[in-house]
Amino acid sequence: MNFENLQVSKALELRNMTIKNRIVRSATHSMLGNLDGTISQDELKMYDELASNEIGLIIAGQFFVSKDGIVAPGSNELINDDHAKYAKKIKEIVEPNDTKVIAQINHAGIQAYSQDPFGPSEFDLEDGRVAREMTIDEITRVKSDFVESAVRAQKSRMDGVQLHAAHGYLLCEFLKPSINKRTDNYGGSSENRFRIVREILEEIKEACGEAYPVFIKIDSNDLIETATYNDDLDYMMFQLEALGIEAVEFSGSDFATKKYSDHNYFLDSALEIKGDRNIATMVVGGVRNFNDMETVLTSGVDMVSLSRPFITEPDLITRLKKGQEKSRCVSCSKCSTVGRKRCILNTF
């Protein structure tokens, strides 16, 4: 299959960014970060290899916006200017390959590595502890943390930022009716549960300028209150389009349960959610080869996003161009537990 003739190889013009092709490296916890929250040399090598192998857009991180919001020791952070200085090195490394890079910013919420975890509502954790409900003052502080991290990303020459509002982290917790049980202005209706995300997006645009690209990652499903969340998604997409979001990345709350034989997990739901709205989209999950990529793009999605396949093979696109049939990733999800080795199939 000739790469140059594929839709995935074509450049894409977004609102405020041009990407050389439709291939996106989805953000993922690298297990390679320094304990002080800075980017490590191992991570810089990883980004260099990704950018050297035909990836148009790298979503770097995840970068956490506060110490009480990290998911594990060694998480990347954008909390101070030293973090930004190290993050700038990512841009310097990928730029010669004409690869764009944006910083995913996040707060882990009830999943945080913290002695005092909190979320939108009280929540029983698996270890027997109870995450407490955030106060309004804490919501205000978290919003400021997101905005300040976005400003640091811009100062570090990142081409944009992505809010992580999926996978059960803090912003996702506010969006999900199955988790957010608040009765104030940040809970209840679709408008209220989306409020913290909307306010963060508005404040980032004010701080960084309307032209600075802002992306968002959201779940395309909720397994507990499906009908309500589906209605929410319709409301959210209308709001995101009005806010001038650069692109929406669709994932799902159940990606880790999918089988190796499953492909393009969230494509159908992404297409239904997008509808005929004038907003760019990307889909992650179950993409294993060029056929999967072309299926995504010819269906009406603008970009195709990969995470675990690039963990085991950062040079996957080059391998596929040379005739390799598909990614060797088997979707075992053990990359989340094996630490600095990154993949059980790798020997380094």
Side-chain angles (χ1 to χ4, degrees), residues 106 111 163-172 217-219 251-252:
N106 190 21
Q111 298 187 58
L163 290 194
H164 196 344
H167 300 171
Y169 293 119
L170 183 64
L171 299 185
C172 177
K217 184 173 187 174
I218 59 175
D219 283 344
S251 185

Side-chain angles (χ1 to χ4, degrees), residues 282-342:
M282 62 183 86
V283 177
V284 65
V287 179
R288 309 191 187 283
N289 52 35
F290 282 146
N291 285 331
D292 289 340
M293 297 178 196
E294 292 299 283
T295 297
V296 169
L297 296 173
T298 57
S299 296
V301 174
D302 301 281
M303 292 167 279
V304 59
S305 194
L306 295 85
S307 174
R308 289 174 293 180
F310 284 144
I311 293 176
T312 185
E313 294 172 294
D315 59 344
L316 173 62
I317 304 304
T318 298
R319 290 170 178 265
L320 294 178
K321 285 178 64 176
K322 291 180 178 179
Q324 181 173 309
E325 182 181 350
K326 59 185 177 181
S327 167
R328 66 173 182 167
C329 175
V330 296
S331 300
C332 69
S333 287
K334 291 182 180 178
C335 46
S336 64
T337 61
V338 297
R340 300 183 77 87
K341 189 176 177 183
R342 296 173 59 205

Side-chain angles (χ1 to χ4, degrees), residues 123-131:
F123 192 88
D124 293 332
L125 302 175
E126 292 182 358
D127 62 6
R129 295 182 299 157
V130 177

Side-chain angles (χ1 to χ4, degrees), residues 39-311:
I39 296 293
S40 70
Q41 287 300 314
D42 285 340
E43 286 177 301
L44 292 176
K45 291 177 183 177
M46 175 189 70
Y47 287 119
D48 186 26
E49 189 169 13
L50 288 167
S52 300
N53 284 281
E54 303 286 359
I55 295 177
L57 173 66
I58 293 174
I59 308 178
Q62 49 191 335
F63 288 93
F64 289 93
V65 301
S66 65
K67 279 291 184 185
D68 60 19
I70 67 171
V71 75
S75 299
N76 294 147
E77 302 167 17
L78 271 174
I79 299 173
N80 58 48
D81 291 341
D82 201 38
H83 295 146
K85 180 182 70 175
Y86 278 82
K88 185 177 181 180
K89 296 180 180 181
I90 302 175
K91 175 64 177 178
E92 293 170 351
I93 279 178
V94 306
E95 195 168 31
N97 294 286
D98 192 27
T99 297
K100 296 296 194 300
V101 59
I102 64 175
Q104 183 190 77
I105 52 178
N106 190 21
H107 188 293
I110 62 175
Q111 298 187 58
Y113 182 82
S114 171
Q115 295 299 313
D116 184 31
F118 56 69
S121 302
E122 188 174 284
F123 192 88
D124 293 332
L125 302 175
E126 292 182 358
D127 62 6
R129 295 182 299 157
V130 177
R132 62 179 177 81
E133 180 174 297
M134 296 173 69
T135 66
I136 293 295
D137 285 345
E138 286 172 327
I139 291 174
T140 300
R141 176 178 63 80
V142 165
K143 288 190 298 180
S144 295
D145 290 339
F146 271 97
V147 176
E148 290 170 7
S149 291
V151 170
R152 290 189 184 96
Q154 186 180 39
K155 288 180 177 178
S156 68
R157 297 185 59 238
M158 291 283 183
D159 295 299
V161 294
Q162 182 192 61
L163 290 194
H164 196 344
H167 300 171
Y169 293 119
L170 183 64
L171 299 185
C172 177
E173 293 160 16
F174 271 91
L175 297 177
K176 293 292 182 79
S178 56
I179 300 176
N180 185 350
K181 305 298 183 183
R182 298 181 75 94
T183 57
D184 59 11
N185 288 338
Y186 291 94
S189 65
S190 299
E191 179 183 1
N192 283 355
R193 281 183 279 107
F194 183 73
R195 187 180 304 277
I196 187 173
V197 174
R198 176 175 58 78
E199 290 175 343
I200 290 170
L201 292 172
E202 289 173 341
E203 291 177 27
I204 289 175
K205 286 287 188 179
E206 182 177 353
C208 297
E210 285 293 328
Y212 191 60
V214 181
F215 297 66
I216 190 168
K217 184 173 187 174
I218 59 175
D219 283 344
S220 61
N221 61 0
D222 182 74
L223 302 182
I224 301 174
E225 296 193 34
T226 303
T228 302
Y229 188 65
N230 286 346
D231 291 340
D232 293 342
L233 286 166
D234 188 61
Y235 172 81
M236 283 191 277
M237 290 297 288
F238 176 81
Q239 295 294 319
L240 294 171
E241 183 178 5
L243 288 164
I245 295 305
E246 203 77 8
V248 178
E249 182 180 23
F250 289 109
S251 185
S253 57
D254 55 341
F255 72 92
T257 68
K258 299 297 184 181
K259 302 187 297 293
Y260 174 64
S261 57
D262 295 330
H263 292 249
N264 294 336
Y265 310 148
F266 306 115
L267 176 58
D268 290 343
S269 55
L271 291 170
E272 183 175 350
I273 296 163
K274 179 182 180 180
D276 59 359
R277 293 181 176 86
N278 184 29
I279 187 168
T281 54
M282 62 183 86
V283 177
V284 65
V287 179
R288 309 191 187 283
N289 52 35
F290 282 146
N291 285 331
D292 289 340
M293 297 178 196
E294 292 299 283
T295 297
V296 169
L297 296 173
T298 57
S299 296
V301 174
D302 301 281
M303 292 167 279
V304 59
S305 194
L306 295 85
S307 174
R308 289 174 293 180
F310 284 144
I311 293 176

